[in-house]
Amino acid sequence: MFGFLRRDRSKREIIINCENLEIRAAVMENGRLEELMIEHPTSERIVGSIFKGRIQNLEHDLQAAFVDIGWKKNAFLHYWDMVPEDARRDSDDEADEGPRERRRSYEGREIERRFPIGSEIMVQVTKGPIGTKGPRVTAAISLPGRYIVMMPGSRLKGVSRKITDESERNRLKKILARLPVPDGMGVIIRTAGAGASKGSFVEDLERLLGIWAGIQKTAAEKPAPCCLYQEPDLVDRVVRDWMSDDIDRIVIDSKDKYEKIREVAGQISRRARSKIVLYDGEAPIFDHFGVERQVEETFQKRVNLKSGGYIVFDETEAMIAIDVNTGRHKGRGAQEEAILEVNTEAVEEIARQLRLRNIGGIIVIDLIDMKSRKHQSAVYKAMKAALKRDKARTNVLPISELGLMEMTRQRVEESLFASTYSPCPYCRGHGVVKSALGVSVELQRQLLAVLRKRDRTKPASGLNIVVHPTVLERLRREDEHFLIDLQSRFEGSLTFKSDPAKHVEFFAISDAATGEILYSSM
């Protein structure tokens, strides 16, 4: 057996599982899952793609345009995202150009003059379709490379805020000033650019300029709507965005992809190329490296903490509700200290779970009540620190008087749960069904209505009632006297039948003589 098949103590490694219908990449730190990326090759990659679209309508009240990009639903384009420079002020996280300016509000006439209905516009998808909503797009195009992000139509130039070493920032700014960047082209040095040579930046820039030239050529030749550019697949993006000195190795289970990313990594350095390893073990790669079990945990509502406490996730269309509980936790000291310990561990785990589950939107965390302002501040700071490693934009507020922590997280695509599961057709997505008591109550209510109506219009006759076996058991054991009373009051016979093939909430009332359905619950 090859040495790499033995689980070693690598500090950071990326495990990639390639299958026909799904590609998964997991970033592991000392055997613990920290990042999870999933892509389906049979589905079109839309986030990051660039389209030549056609404006379908302008909604001044919404301050937005709807653009036909050839997708199932028209794309949503805010007015402030229609002008690249205005869009940059709010959307860019990498630049160091000082505080963001407030979004500008546009007059309807100005937009109609600059972007009349039916006109063509080049846009890039920033958020995929979620639920009933179409994709969201921007006219502020950005092309990410290994070391830089290139932004056509922008004057912005800067260095990633995440590079904090002042001497390195100064070195990179000097390199940036000497790069042969064409006029009307913005450039931001990415975090991966720290320590890179000037030649690496030049090569990256030349490659991106070539891609942009191809996009412009396609835009000139093809009519709208059409796709001009699509982001590379997940495996290529992992090498581009994640390969760095602190990654010890990338292990992949596909021979073809292995050869491809070794070639890509070789363009970075020989050392990077040597970090790519092919897995050919008998067990599935995620099982072998202990990833599968941790992935399955991300689909569970309840997450247990090492301290004995636990977290409960409830994902709804409006927001994500997260509840923190002490569970079996037994604090060593005072109760307040024990609560602080659980809450601190909880927010650190919540930050990790948000990344793994790809949860976005409004998030409300119900922490265990803390009386001490000092403790509340400590938990808030712990959450802020834990969110620093999140690539998605986040905004978290201090703990409220009700003990709630409110935050938002950038939502680019559907959550892992929403993209993997579909609503249960049996319970219609509720997760629960009516109890036998609930069905019995509804049945008796509708049965009484049918009997009253027949009492006025027709002579007494029998009724057939079909129910699920569990409901019939309830009727026989606990509700029989109510039904006997109904039967005697309206002088008609009631015949009950069970059908295990029916839904547990189903019942139907029909005329025994004619077979006419008088009422059906479903």
Side-chain angles (χ1 to χ4, degrees):
M1 189 68 70
F2 293 101
F4 68 80
L5 295 182
R6 298 190 302 269
R7 293 188 192 179
D8 58 25
R9 296 185 179 180
S10 298
K11 182 182 178 182
R12 294 192 83 197
E13 55 189 2
I14 299 175
I15 313 300
I16 304 177
N17 170 220
C18 299
E19 297 171 350
N20 292 331
L21 297 178
E22 188 172 73
I23 298 175
R24 300 183 294 176
V27 180
M28 307 289 286
E29 291 188 10
N30 296 322
R32 189 169 188 250
L33 180 63
E34 291 294 341
E35 305 280 350
L36 178 65
M37 295 152 280
I38 297 179
E39 184 173 275
H40 299 99
T42 55
S43 301
E44 185 177 352
R45 296 187 301 278
I46 187 169
V47 176
S49 296
I50 299 173
F51 291 86
K52 181 181 180 181
R54 191 179 301 279
I55 295 176
Q56 293 297 300
N57 54 311
L58 302 171
E59 298 290 344
H60 300 324
D61 291 341
L62 295 175
Q63 284 274 294
F66 288 89
V67 183
D68 178 12
I69 60 172
W71 199 249
K72 299 171 186 176
K73 292 189 176 182
N74 288 338
F76 183 87
L77 175 62
H78 274 296
Y79 283 173
W80 55 73
D81 284 332
M82 298 177 83
V83 182
E85 275 304 311
D86 287 343
R88 306 278 181 208
R89 296 183 185 124
D90 185 71
S91 64
D92 197 86
D93 279 337
E94 297 277 1
D96 59 349
E97 302 301 308
R100 294 176 181 171
E101 299 179 32
R102 294 185 64 183
R103 289 171 171 171
R104 177 185 170 188
S105 179
Y106 284 92
E107 293 289 336
R109 291 180 181 177
E110 181 183 358
I111 290 294
E112 289 174 2
R113 177 178 57 81
R114 298 179 65 175
F115 305 98
I117 292 176
S119 61
E120 296 179 346
I121 185 170
M122 187 184 296
V123 293
Q124 186 170 31
V125 178
T126 58
K127 181 190 289 187
I130 299 175
T132 59
K133 298 177 181 178
R136 179 171 171 176
V137 296
T138 177
I141 307 298
S142 62
L143 292 172
R146 165 73 182 160
Y147 301 110
I148 64 173
V149 176
M150 192 178 78
M151 300 170 296
S154 172
R155 299 185 300 272
L156 188 64
K157 290 181 174 62
V159 178
S160 169
R161 290 189 180 99
K162 294 181 181 179
I163 299 176
T164 56
D165 184 82
E166 200 58 38
S167 61
E168 178 61 11
R169 291 184 66 84
N170 291 333
R171 184 186 77 88
L172 293 174
K173 286 179 180 179
K174 290 178 181 177
I175 291 176
L176 181 59
R178 295 169 186 167
L179 283 179
V181 181
D183 292 337
M185 193 71 70
V187 172
I188 294 173
I189 293 180
R190 304 185 70 183
T191 310
S197 65
K198 180 182 177 181
S200 298
F201 290 107
V202 172
E203 290 176 5
D204 213 20
L205 177 62
E206 289 176 349
R207 187 180 64 82
L208 293 176
L209 287 172
I211 292 174
W212 177 239
I215 291 172
Q216 289 181 306
K217 184 175 183 295
T218 305
E221 295 173 350
K222 288 188 175 182
C226 65
C227 181
L228 305 175
Y229 169 80
Q230 195 173 49
E231 274 275 81
D233 66 18
L234 177 59
V235 177
D236 289 349
R237 295 200 309 273
V238 164
V239 176
R240 183 191 72 188
D241 299 336
W242 286 92
M243 175 63 80
S244 59
D245 290 340
D246 64 346
I247 294 294
D248 293 281
R249 63 178 181 173
I250 296 178
V251 188
I252 187 168
D253 62 357
S254 166
K255 177 71 173 176
D256 293 339
K257 294 288 186 182
Y258 164 74
E259 297 292 350
K260 183 179 179 182
I261 64 173
R262 265 177 63 88
E263 182 180 344
V264 174
Q267 297 172 5
I268 300 172
S269 68
R270 290 183 180 179
R271 185 182 177 192
R273 179 186 172 94
S274 67
K275 291 181 179 182
I276 312 299
V277 180
L278 176 65
Y279 173 80
D280 61 356
E282 294 180 0
I285 187 170
F286 267 33
D287 286 341
H288 178 80
F289 287 97
V291 184
E292 197 67 57
R293 173 184 54 80
Q294 298 184 63
V295 171
E296 287 301 317
E297 289 174 356
T298 64
F299 294 113
Q300 305 301 317
K301 288 186 65 173
R302 174 168 167 161
V303 177
N304 293 319
L305 303 174
K306 291 181 180 179
S307 63
Y310 64 92
I311 309 164
V312 177
F313 286 79
D314 273 314
E315 186 174 338
T316 69
E317 191 168 340
M319 67 175 67
I320 308 299
I322 304 174
D323 188 33
V324 180
N325 297 277
T326 53
R328 304 186 312 276
H329 177 74
K330 303 293 183 183
R332 296 179 181 177
Q335 183 182 19
E336 279 293 308
E337 294 296 328
I339 291 173
L340 173 63
E341 183 181 344
V342 174
N343 279 339
T344 302
E345 184 186 2
V347 295
E348 291 171 352
E349 180 61 25
I350 287 169
R352 171 176 173 262
Q353 290 291 331
L354 293 180
R355 297 194 309 272
L356 296 180
R357 297 169 186 243
N358 195 25
I359 289 175
I362 299 172
I363 300 162
V364 178
I365 305 168
D366 185 8
L367 296 162
I368 305 167
D369 289 339
M370 294 177 290
K371 297 178 182 178
S372 168
R373 281 288 180 186
K374 181 180 178 181
H375 288 179
Q376 291 180 8
S377 178
V379 172
Y380 171 68
K381 289 178 180 177
M383 173 59 98
K384 294 278 284 186
L387 290 172
K388 283 184 178 179
R389 66 184 303 164
D390 199 333
K391 290 180 178 288
R393 289 199 301 271
T394 57
N395 180 34
V396 58
L397 301 179
I399 298 171
S400 71
E401 293 182 2
L402 296 176
L404 302 177
M405 180 182 285
E406 301 165 68
M407 64 171 290
T408 59
R409 184 174 185 269
Q410 181 186 19
R411 179 160 54 183
V412 176
E413 296 175 303
E414 285 187 314
S415 69
L416 180 62
F417 184 84
S419 63
T420 307
Y421 288 82
S422 58
C424 171
Y426 197 84
C427 69
R428 298 182 291 280
H430 294 300
V432 292
V433 292
K434 271 188 180 180
S435 64
L437 170 61
V439 178
S440 178
V441 169
E442 181 66 18
L443 168 61
Q444 292 180 55
R445 184 178 296 127
Q446 298 302 332
L447 187 57
L448 180 60
V450 169
L451 289 170
R452 282 174 175 167
K453 184 177 180 181
R454 287 169 61 83
D455 189 46
R456 298 191 191 98
T457 59
K458 294 183 180 181
S461 63
L463 295 176
N464 289 337
I465 300 101
V466 179
V467 295
H468 189 271
T470 57
V471 177
L472 183 60
E473 185 69 16
R474 161 86 196 192
L475 297 175
R476 284 175 174 169
R477 289 180 176 273
E478 301 183 52
D479 302 334
E480 186 177 18
H481 57 289
F482 295 117
L483 299 173
I484 292 173
D485 179 59
L486 276 177
Q487 186 172 259
S488 61
R489 283 167 56 192
F490 292 94
E491 299 179 353
S493 63
L494 303 178
T495 304
F496 289 85
K497 297 179 181 178
S498 68
D499 186 348
K502 297 298 184 183
H503 193 282
V504 69
E505 296 179 6
F506 172 87
F507 63 87
I509 305 170
S510 61
D511 189 301
T514 65
E516 178 189 359
I517 301 294
L518 304 176
Y519 182 86
S520 178
S521 64
M522 301 181 80

